[in-house]
Amino acid sequence: MLVSLAAVAGCAGLLLPAQQAQAAGSVHLYKIYYDSPGTDRGANSSLNAEYVQIRNTTGSSVSLRGWTVRDRANHTYTFGSYTLGAGKTVTVRTGSGTNTSANRYQNRSWYVWNNDADTATLRRSNGTTADTCSYNSTRYDYRMC
């Protein structure tokens, strides 16, 4: 019995660092909705149905000023003065609209994300890569990262 308890306690100790790393969280790509519903004719409502979401799983707010999201063709969205709250998600929409804490707009007149395959790259203001997310499918309209 004592040997079993010691083994369990030892295993629990091995799990602790992974739990601590997970608790630290990250700012990362969460979802890419790359094939907006309907025909791609460039209507603003269709453009705004194409988006990428960024999630902050840290316990603190993070300034995204100067952070970028880009696709393989180098279409780039750069965050201005914006802070993503702890545990929050921001949606970066392709078309035009009024920026809010939950939605940012690229103000583009045509689509960014290819309907079959592409890669999103999230970079910090210093240029280092925070996350990437790729998809290669026409079977689905979005990709959870």
Side-chain angles (χ1 to χ4, degrees), residues 33-35 115-116 135-143:
Y33 204 109
Y34 55 87
D35 188 8
N115 288 350
D116 56 353
Y135 58 90
N136 186 8
S137 175
T138 56
R139 193 170 174 193
Y140 303 102
D141 296 332
Y142 65 92
R143 164 94 161 110

Side-chain angles (χ1 to χ4, degrees), residues 62-67 77-84 99-101 104:
V62 175
S63 172
L64 297 186
R65 178 188 284 278
W67 286 49
Y77 173 77
T78 304
F79 282 91
S81 180
Y82 178 77
T83 300
L84 183 58
N99 288 334
T100 67
S101 61
R104 309 307 277 184

Side-chain angles (χ1 to χ4, degrees), residues 105-119:
Y105 295 87
Q106 296 191 49
N107 296 314
R108 294 185 179 274
S109 58
W110 201 250
Y111 303 91
V112 170
W113 305 104
N114 296 329
N115 288 350
D116 56 353
D118 212 334
T119 298

Side-chain angles (χ1 to χ4, degrees), residues 12 20 26-27 29 47 49 52 55 69-70 74 85 92 98 106 135 139:
Q20 287 175 339
S26 65
V27 175
L29 296 164
L47 291 168
V52 61
R55 179 167 280 182
V69 177
R70 70 183 63 204
N74 215 27
V92 179
T98 302
Q106 296 191 49
Y135 58 90
R139 193 170 174 193

Side-chain angles (χ1 to χ4, degrees), residues 6 8-9 15 26 30 33 44 46 56 71 75 96 118 131 139:
V8 169
L15 295 176
S26 65
Y30 178 69
Y33 204 109
N44 194 54
S46 178
N56 177 3
D71 71 343
H75 297 103
S96 299
D118 212 334
D131 197 13
R139 193 170 174 193

